[in-house]
Amino acid sequence: MSVASVDLNRNETSVKSVDSDDNIDFSKLLDRPRHLNMERQRSLDEKSLVEASPRHPSLTENGRYMDFESVFSPSKRSSFNSCNGQYGLEPHLMFVEAWEALRKTMVHFRGQPVGTIAALDNSDEKLNYDQVFVRDFVPSALAFLMNGEPEIVKNFILKTLRLQSWEKKIDRFQLGEGVMPASFKVLHDPVRNTETIMADFGESAIGRVAPVDSGFWWIILLRAYTKSTGDTSLAEMPDCQKGMRLILALCLSEGFDTFPTLLCADGCSMIDRRMGVYGYPIEIQALFFMALRCALVLLKQDAQGKELTDRIVKRLHALSFHMRSYFWLDLKQLNDIYRYKTEEYSHTAVNKFNVIPDSLPEWVFDFMPTYGGYFLGNVGPSNMDFRWF
């Protein structure tokens, strides 16, 4: 590999790698927040973004950790359906067309909205674009929440929760109890005048792969609903608490893995095709981290909740340290990898993942800035994917 044009001594001017998070205490997320007087700003400048940052959660009377802002106001319905937009201005045509298209994708079950289909394109009936995907509905759900329409989000959360309890079998193998569906479809029978729901847990997917991310998106969306509406009753429902515990039990289960990151089978992360994205893709680790943070706030602090909370805090510490130490790449780390020795044994090994220096792509040397860096797309045994998605 030719790297003659690269000055590998640039690491002298490179910033240090992300430091260890030994000084980060995730249990402090459960501390009582400081009460600050906040004013809503019209513009999203840097100051308003900092002021709108999440506060530390506090312990409520019912023993559950919440994270409300000291000055809380539920999201208000925007006026895209009216003649005048927000602040008396005409809404942008693209904005109006986007909402019209979004409403056309809404799916109803027994008279209630339960989600939005993946796409309006019906050019090929064999494709499953007419189904409601968990991951695809999340951005639509956030739009509905910001527009003051939480009903469809609540119905979606409850409907997918009911589907979680279904028996999930592929051939003669039964999936874990906590697996959430990748998608579902509402079937209308005009003869019997009935409606039924058909869920896909991977048994119909291309490649027959189960969705690793659906459970994480469900927890994150439940947190977004609670934060946006101020309605804690949904998350406090015994069924929702059980659904979270089943998801967490599935991803926090002990196994043969030596890393705190979540192992992901090929095709189970973002698309049901073989793309060489397997092992520990960063988008799954990011979702895993966010879901754990959300669950830390949503779980009731009863006997079962406290046990899971302890496991979550420990996992967050380990996961954060691992991602900062091994997924972060800057010029100094790149130079170190270029000089790695292979086939090292013992706990003192520098090349802990046995990465082969010759596998470094040439473009990464030109791409890497002098200051700063980025998180790699995947890191595992003899696997370091310098792409990111």
Side-chain angles (χ1 to χ4, degrees), residues 137-199:
F137 176 68
V138 172
S140 300
L142 296 179
F144 283 117
L145 288 175
M146 288 187 288
N147 198 52
E149 301 180 54
E151 180 189 6
I152 186 174
V153 182
K154 182 178 181 178
N155 293 338
F156 172 85
I157 291 172
L158 291 175
K159 188 55 60 181
T160 48
L161 180 63
R162 300 291 184 270
L163 296 175
Q164 184 194 41
S165 63
W166 285 16
E167 184 182 41
K168 301 172 276 285
K169 274 190 174 183
I170 298 181
D171 293 333
R172 297 185 179 182
F173 180 73
Q174 186 165 336
L175 275 68
E177 190 177 2
V179 174
M180 281 286 186
S183 63
F184 65 86
K185 182 178 182 178
V186 177
L187 301 176
H188 303 272
D189 188 340
V191 178
R192 298 181 180 180
N193 195 25
T194 58
E195 292 181 337
T196 57
I197 286 184
M198 179 181 67

